């Protein structure tokens, strides 16, 4: 049995997981830094890297304990190489190199986006490409044609803010808290999403690209124009964020299904932190049922950043014979490329 260690420190979560070569998750530990970044209403890169340094040793210990293994039992070390915050990536990379060097184990760098794609494999090992993937997180909004594992075509991406970024920035401006995604998700449940009318950029432009910056500004402007009493009206604020969410989800769903039609595929996989969104999950499934298309979502803990998805992706490349050397460097802008 092969044991794969997966480390992800692309952003503000310190993640270490161990899986085996049957894609069984033996442990999956995530130490969230939300408490610290909440004070600033967003991620402060310097704080994120300092916290990774502080958290990683105990996160690694916990991952080994949960899996009932020691470092000696690890056969392969995988780590996010990018994209992400450079300082954060460096710390995960440093830990991975140390474990691999000291234990003389193979080392493999993983693309974080590709990791999000592989999250689905942990719960649905039977899933076979081709499929259209929507990766939607705090840093990414991308539609990818997955012709095969390792063979990708980027069909569309955001031209400005990522969808999760829009959630987080709106929440910050409206003083609702951080991170905005889960907060707006929660507030929107049962609210009137047709009270305000917003439209996301590039909604009907015929491309598969996105733009969320204008939508964010429209919501912020709408809030700024409210009177003081209105700003205190909790129902009104819930309706406002639900209306934002309605338009963000609408464009994500419409473009993903348009991509599916264009490619002639019959499966959709959604991944990334925003894939945890209840409204998005509902709407995607509804549309899928209407059209007889299978839509796959990872469970919530595998939507947001985690080490298990990195291990799953690394395992795939390792099986193909790929290896990285000790001079591998983190790359904050690492592109998703096909290896097939
Ligand atoms: O994938 P992830 O953990 O980190 C990145 O790679 O960016 O995604 C984090 C993003 C944040 O913007 C967060 O607000 C958003 O995912 N998010 C959500 C939900 N849970 C997390 N957005 C909408 N609804 C949610 N339930
Ligand atoms: Zn991510």
């Amino acid at each position: 049995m092969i044991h794969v260690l997966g480390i992800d420190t692309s952003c503000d979560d310190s993640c270490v997981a161990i899986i085996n070569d049957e894609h069984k998750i033996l442990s999956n530990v995530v130490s969230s830094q939300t408490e610290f970044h909440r004070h600033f209403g967003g991620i402060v890169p310097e704080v994120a890297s300092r916290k990774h340094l502080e958290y990683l040793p105990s996160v690694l210990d916990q991952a080994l304990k949960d899996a009932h293994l020691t470092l000696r039992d690890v056969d392969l070390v995988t780590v996010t190489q990018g994209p992400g915050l450079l300082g954060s990536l460096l710390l995960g990379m440093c830990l991975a190199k140390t474990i691999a060097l000291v234990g003389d184990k193979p080392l493999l760098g993983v693309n974080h986006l590709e990791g999000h794609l592989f999250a689905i494999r942990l719960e649905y090992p039977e899933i076979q490409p081709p499929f259209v993937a929507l990766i939607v997180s705090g840093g990414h909004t991308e539609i990818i044609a997955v012709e095969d594992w390792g063979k990708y075509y980027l069909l569309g991406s955001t031209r400005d803010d990522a969808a999760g970024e829009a959630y987080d920035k709106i929440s910050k401006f409206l003083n609702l808290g951080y991170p905005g995604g889960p907060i707006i998700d929660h507030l929107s449940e049962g609210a009137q999403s047709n009270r305000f009318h917003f439209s996301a950029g590039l909604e009907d432009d015929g491309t598969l690209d996105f733009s969320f910056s204008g939508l964010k500004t429209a919501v912020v402007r709408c809030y700024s124009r409210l009177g003081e009493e209105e700003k205190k009206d909790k129902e009104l604020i819930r309706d406002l964020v639900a209306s934002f969410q309605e338009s963000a989800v609408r464009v994500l769903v419409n473009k993903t299904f348009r991509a599916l039609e264009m490619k002639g595929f019959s499966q959709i996989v959604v991944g990334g932190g925003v894939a945890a969104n209840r409204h998005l999950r509902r709407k995607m499934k509804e549309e899928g049922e209407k059209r007889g298309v299978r839509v796959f979502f990872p469970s919530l803990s595998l939507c947001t950043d985690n080490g298990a998805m990195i291990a799953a992706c690394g395992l795939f490349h390792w099986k193909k014979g790929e290896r990285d050397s000790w001079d591998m460097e983190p790359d904050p802008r690492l592109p998703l490329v096909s290896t097939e």
Side-chain angles (χ1 to χ4, degrees):
M1 182 69 67
I2 304 282
H3 295 124
V4 188
L5 186 75
I7 301 169
D8 182 78
T9 57
S10 57
C11 200
D12 62 332
D13 289 326
S14 312
C15 316
V16 180
I18 299 171
I19 68 164
N20 67 21
D21 51 350
E22 287 168 355
H23 289 101
K24 182 167 190 278
I25 300 174
L26 306 179
S27 62
N28 194 14
V29 183
V30 177
S31 183
S32 166
Q33 305 179 1
T34 303
E35 280 312 312
F36 298 94
H37 298 288
R38 189 167 280 147
H39 299 298
F40 306 101
I43 296 164
V44 183
E46 288 80 0
V47 174
S49 26
R50 212 170 314 140
K51 289 290 161 195
H52 284 309
L53 184 62
E54 195 180 318
Y55 290 170
L56 276 173
S58 53
V59 173
L60 171 65
D61 268 355
Q62 193 60 49
L64 288 166
K65 254 185 221 146
D66 290 354
H68 306 290
L69 296 172
T70 71
L71 272 182
R72 275 202 196 106
D73 304 311
V74 170
D75 301 289
L76 168 65
V77 182
T78 67
V79 59
T80 299
Q81 186 181 6
L85 300 171
L86 179 60
S88 293
L89 291 167
L90 264 170
L91 284 150
M93 186 65 76
C94 208
L95 176 67
K97 284 184 181 178
T98 307
I99 297 168
L101 198 58
V102 169
D104 193 24
K105 297 170 194 300
L107 172 72
L108 212 63
V110 170
N111 182 297
H112 182 78
L113 271 189
E114 196 181 4
H116 275 301
L117 285 177
F118 270 78
I120 205 72
R121 242 187 152 179
L122 292 159
E123 292 171 305
Y124 299 93
E126 74 283 2
I127 184 169
Q128 280 303 329
F131 55 79
V132 163
L134 171 70
I135 301 298
V136 67
S137 71
H140 297 277
T141 307
E142 255 123 49
I143 298 183
I144 300 160
V146 179
E147 305 261 351
D148 201 349
W149 293 113
K151 196 170 173 194
Y152 313 115
Y153 294 97
L154 183 65
L155 299 176
S157 59
T158 180
R159 295 193 190 162
D160 40 59
D161 290 355
E165 197 177 347
Y167 270 94
D168 294 339
K169 285 181 176 168
I170 288 172
S171 181
K172 180 176 179 185
F173 196 86
L174 273 58
N175 298 314
L176 299 174
Y178 170 83
I183 293 169
I184 290 180
D185 182 350
H186 177 75
L187 288 175
S188 301
E189 282 293 293
Q192 278 184 57
S193 60
N194 58 359
R195 180 155 172 189
F196 299 87
H197 295 280
F198 299 115
S199 65
L202 309 178
E203 218 174 320
D204 301 306
D205 71 329
T207 75
L208 295 174
D209 285 341
F210 298 96
S211 166
F212 290 103
S213 168
L215 172 60
K216 171 196 69 191
T217 308
V219 177
V220 163
R221 260 206 209 124
C222 180
Y223 175 80
S224 304
R225 287 203 200 103
L226 296 175
E228 283 316 306
E229 285 311 308
E230 286 174 311
K231 284 182 181 163
K232 287 187 206 141
D233 180 344
K234 288 201 174 100
E235 285 311 307
L236 188 145
I237 298 302
R238 287 181 61 222
D239 294 345
L240 178 62
V241 293
S243 303
F244 149 72
Q245 175 165 275
E246 185 66 37
S247 51
V249 165
R250 184 173 62 233
V251 73
L252 290 170
V253 172
N254 286 347
K255 293 218 169 188
T256 307
F257 278 90
R258 204 178 299 156
L260 191 83
E261 268 171 26
M262 278 170 56
K263 295 300 296 180
F265 297 169
S266 58
Q267 307 180 98
I268 290 175
V269 168
V270 190
V274 182
N277 185 267
R278 279 176 281 188
H279 193 53
L280 178 65
R281 293 171 91 95
R282 259 193 318 259
K283 286 285 169 189
M284 278 281 189
K285 296 255 177 195
E286 266 173 35
E287 196 61 30
E289 272 161 29
K290 254 193 246 163
R291 301 186 191 213
V293 169
R294 289 189 78 189
V295 183
F296 296 90
F297 279 90
S299 51
L300 299 192
S301 63
L302 293 174
C303 286
T304 43
D305 290 348
N306 64 86
M309 67 184 196
I310 301 303
C313 185
L315 174 64
F316 167 79
H317 288 287
W318 182 75
K319 282 186 172 167
K320 298 240 155 217
E322 293 171 39
R323 305 286 183 271
D324 276 309
S325 63
W326 306 118
D327 54 7
M328 168 173 54
E329 299 280 359
D331 181 351
R333 297 181 168 274
L334 188 71
L336 179 69
V337 292
S338 295
T339 49
E340 281 296 285

